[in-house]
Amino acid sequence: MSSNTAKHPAQSPIENYLKALHARHAALDDGEVADYIPELANANAHWFGISLATRDGHVYEVGDTRQTFTIQSISKALAYGLALEDRGEDFILSRISVEPSGDAFNAISLKAESGAPFNPMINAGAIATCGQIQKRDGRSRIERILAYLSACAGRPLSIDQAVYRSESDTGHRNRAIGWMLRNFGIIDEEPTEILETYFQQCAIQVNCRDLAVIAATLANHGRNPLTHEQAIAPEYVENILSVMASCGMYDFSGEWLYHIGLPAKSGVGGGVLAALPGQLGIGVFSPPLDAQGNSARGIRVCTDLSHDLSLHLFANGPQLPASIRLSYDASQVASRRQRAPEARQVLLSSGHRIRLLELQGELNFVTTETVIRAALKQAPYCQYLILNCRNVASLDDVTRKLFEELKDSLENQGVQLHLCPASRLLALAPAIAKLPLHADDDAALEYCENQLLAELIGPDWDQAPPVEIGNTHLLRGLPADDLAWLAREMPTHDAASGECIIEAGDNAESLFLLLSGTVEVRLPEPSGKSGKRVGVFVAGMSFGEMGLIDGAPRSAHVLAHTPVVYRVIDRALFDRLETERPKLKIRLLERLACQISDNLRRSNREIAAFKN
Ligand code: GLN
């Protein structure tokens, strides 16, 4: 097979599973298509779709997942979210309770004293909820509901006018409920218009795929995983999922939670929506309903999904991985800043005073507690503690506050707390800006190393004054005549700050001896520009030796960080040494071998630290 012919994509075991699940239940003929709203009776009893949407926006679809139908009661869960956003939790709770009623969806059941509907998932509560949604910015209630649901589905939805008319013509029982609500002051205006809005809300057209996406939006803290829009205010997602869990399946809710264990909502159009918080969304569509008004196939499919995929909320709780992935100190892994030999020695012997913990996964109270304990255990032995959060997936407000308090208590013990990488942390928890943040672990390490070196060597530790070639690390101690010869033969160059000395991809022909100033080594970005810093060299150091030896193209850019002066040993000069100064060549090769073995030792130390 030629390299550019792709093979057939491999079968997904997840798709295979969903197809088998669909096939298993397709033959079922339990239940009746709803006909109390005459237009609903036109649905085909064989329509059957299953969709599963992941938190990162992948949607699996089997069967009639693009067949539209009316959302009906599933809209109640979302309208409840909009009402909460409009009025706040206290107000909504003062009008609509959250107690499972054990009654049918259309029961005329209101609490005896207050007249408050038992919960927002039965019709009484849903009509009351609809009445709390505000008309705003020149938009009617139904326009706002439609926009809200469209954001949840990630596409513009519309109303099935025939179903709406049909329900409006026959919905006398709901009208009776509306007048009761008005009587008890649960709604503040005559119910007529609210009821029309409610009927329209129930007649919004969706498909099975939409249900899975809406469910995944609920599972994803209200953010639509396809469009990334924050469709539902995150602070109310918990309220919505709670009433779905306790009341979403009407008088079957207790059994549903017991056997299936997922917050869910069904509608008489045949849809079922179920969400596993933080994880995924499920949509099932099949019009025949059981005695409670829930899709008969929908219940079967969700039962199997919950058992087969172990989705029950209480079955296994979140199994959080260890939050500390690695722990090492700066004597094992130092920053990419190349240090003069004295500073390097100090970091090798005292680098243990800088401790780095690499964290991972979801940081919440339970996972952060282990981080706090580890940090306190390290505190007596270090002066700097760096928390590298590169692999942290989420960081909640509890964790942010615990980190702030940890900083204070470490400070009392003379330990500084530092965090990185800044951009990731700020994206996860903007309020974390109060803590000392660094661009990445290298920047954090360098910052702490610099402070440690200043403390241990003195204020001048960082001085790298211009040097003669005889004082460079590579040539120090060579016989005077060798140095004089090299001084004559090695050309001198300079570069302005920001200028490129080596470009990634260049042929490597020379070794560079830095006599004054600082250079930075940066990895090339895909765009060709210079990206992450991987090294810093100061006056007295040399670079480019690997290229001189193996001739492989340069793998990184080297840029002058300050104005620099450097000298160069190129391949031609190196070759000439063989005949003109063979002893010098041997000495140079020995020095270079030492430098390379030094680097290799350092890499081995790092690998050992990363393996523990
Ligand atoms: N519009 C329908 C009604 O009020 C919604 C009921 C439902 O889906 N359970 O009767």
Side-chain angles (χ1 to χ4, degrees), residues 216-491:
T217 299
L218 282 163
N220 192 32
H221 309 288
R223 189 178 290 280
N224 183 305
L226 299 184
T227 63
H228 306 290
E229 185 186 347
Q230 189 68 51
I232 304 170
E235 61 266 41
Y236 295 120
V237 170
E238 192 175 305
N239 306 54
I240 301 172
L241 289 172
S242 302
V243 287
M244 282 168 61
S246 58
C247 319
M249 304 300 278
Y250 320 113
D251 39 345
F252 188 66
S253 294
E255 290 214 41
W256 173 276
L257 189 61
Y258 190 94
H259 293 293
I260 295 162
L262 294 169
K265 189 71 207 82
S266 65
V268 289
V272 179
L273 170 160
L276 182 56
Q279 310 207 28
L280 53 78
I282 295 166
V284 187
F285 167 54
S286 164
L289 308 179
D290 64 14
Q292 279 95 359
N294 297 319
S295 165
R297 278 199 194 100
I299 302 260
R300 304 283 186 100
V301 166
C302 289
T303 307
D304 284 2
L305 276 170
S306 174
H307 290 168
D308 298 346
L309 310 183
S310 185
L311 303 180
H312 196 294
L313 265 188
F314 308 130
N316 38 19
Q319 304 268 319
L320 297 166
S323 43
I324 301 174
R325 170 189 160 109
L326 281 176
S327 166
Y328 51 83
D329 65 49
S331 72
Q332 298 167 283
V333 180
S335 76
R336 296 285 119 192
R337 180 169 197 123
Q338 305 295 315
R339 305 284 180 183
E342 185 191 10
R344 201 170 337 143
Q345 217 38 58
V346 168
L347 288 179
L348 272 179
S349 57
S350 302
H352 61 273
R353 300 199 206 172
I354 304 170
R355 165 73 41 186
L356 194 142
L357 298 180
E358 194 165 318
L359 310 184
Q360 66 181 4
E362 322 240 329
L363 294 186
N364 55 27
F365 173 74
V366 172
T367 51
T368 301
E369 184 273 337
T370 58
V371 177
I372 303 282
R373 232 178 325 135
L376 296 178
K377 198 166 151 198
Q378 291 294 340
Y381 311 103
C382 66
Q383 285 171 247
Y384 305 90
L385 183 74
I386 302 169
L387 300 181
N388 183 357
C389 300
R390 181 180 39 187
N391 290 304
V392 166
S394 67
L395 189 155
D396 70 0
D397 217 41
V398 176
T399 297
R400 201 248 319 152
K401 287 184 193 139
L402 284 172
F403 280 174
E404 282 174 16
E405 288 177 29
L406 177 66
K407 173 178 175 276
D408 294 341
S409 53
L410 287 177
E411 235 158 54
N412 290 337
Q413 267 220 307
V415 180
Q416 294 182 13
L417 180 69
H418 295 273
L419 285 91
C420 64
S423 56
R424 170 147 201 82
L425 284 164
L426 290 171
L428 293 175
I432 206 152
K434 279 195 227 139
L435 292 169
L437 304 180
H438 300 267
D440 55 23
D441 52 339
D442 191 49
L445 268 170
E446 185 186 333
Y447 177 88
C448 299
E449 286 171 2
N450 289 351
Q451 286 194 64
L452 189 64
L453 290 170
E455 181 193 328
L456 298 178
I457 304 181
D460 292 338
W461 72 272
D462 198 19
Q463 298 302 312
V467 292
E468 294 298 320
I469 58 169
N471 276 329
T472 57
H473 309 316
L474 185 68
L475 306 182
R476 193 182 286 166
L478 285 186
D481 63 322
D482 278 345
L483 287 173
W485 189 88
L486 281 171
R488 266 198 319 277
E489 300 294 333
M490 289 169 68

Side-chain angles (χ1 to χ4, degrees), residues 36-37 40 70-76 104-106 121-124 126-127 163 167 171 173-174 177 198-203 248 250 265-271 289 292-294:
Y36 76 101
I37 299 172
L40 291 183
T70 52
I71 190 166
Q72 296 299 337
S73 278
I74 299 170
S75 65
K76 294 170 179 173
F105 70 86
N106 58 0
M121 302 289 106
I122 51 170
N123 290 5
I127 295 164
V163 174
E167 184 164 16
R173 189 181 176 92
N174 283 330
I177 293 174
Y198 169 74
F199 296 145
Q200 286 172 309
Q201 162 195 320
C202 290
Y250 320 113
K265 189 71 207 82
S266 65
V268 289
L289 308 179
Q292 279 95 359
N294 297 319

Side-chain angles (χ1 to χ4, degrees), residues 203-221:
I204 291 174
Q205 277 186 316
V206 289
N207 60 37
C208 181
R209 177 191 164 89
D210 294 328
L211 293 187
V213 174
I214 296 170
T217 299
L218 282 163
N220 192 32
H221 309 288

Side-chain angles (χ1 to χ4, degrees), residues 83-214:
L84 283 163
E85 289 185 31
D86 279 4
R87 305 280 188 157
E89 185 181 300
D90 290 346
F91 181 88
I92 293 296
L93 284 178
S94 74
R95 300 281 172 114
I96 306 148
S97 177
V98 287
E99 214 43 56
S101 65
D103 286 333
F105 70 86
N106 58 0
I108 306 185
S109 76
L110 305 176
K111 286 198 159 176
E113 335 73 68
S114 60
F118 276 87
N119 65 68
M121 302 289 106
I122 51 170
N123 290 5
I127 295 164
T129 299
C130 187
Q132 314 309 326
I133 293 170
Q134 291 176 332
K135 304 169 186 174
R136 242 190 221 173
D137 311 325
R139 289 190 306 165
S140 65
R141 285 195 180 101
I142 188 61
E143 284 168 339
R144 292 192 61 227
I145 295 170
L146 198 54
Y148 197 76
L149 265 67
S150 298
C152 293
R155 70 180 187 100
L157 301 176
S158 56
I159 292 170
D160 182 327
Q161 294 297 337
V163 174
Y164 158 55
R165 287 265 134 251
S166 179
E167 184 164 16
S168 178
D169 291 346
T170 55
H172 311 306
R173 189 181 176 92
N174 283 330
R175 287 205 171 83
I177 293 174
W179 284 107
M180 295 272 288
L181 293 169
R182 179 71 194 106
N183 174 60
F184 284 106
I186 300 294
I187 52 177
D188 301 317
E189 58 193 85
E190 292 229 332
T192 319
E193 193 187 314
I194 294 172
L195 282 157
E196 293 310 310
T197 302
Y198 169 74
F199 296 145
Q200 286 172 309
Q201 162 195 320
C202 290
I204 291 174
Q205 277 186 316
V206 289
N207 60 37
C208 181
R209 177 191 164 89
D210 294 328
L211 293 187
V213 174
I214 296 170

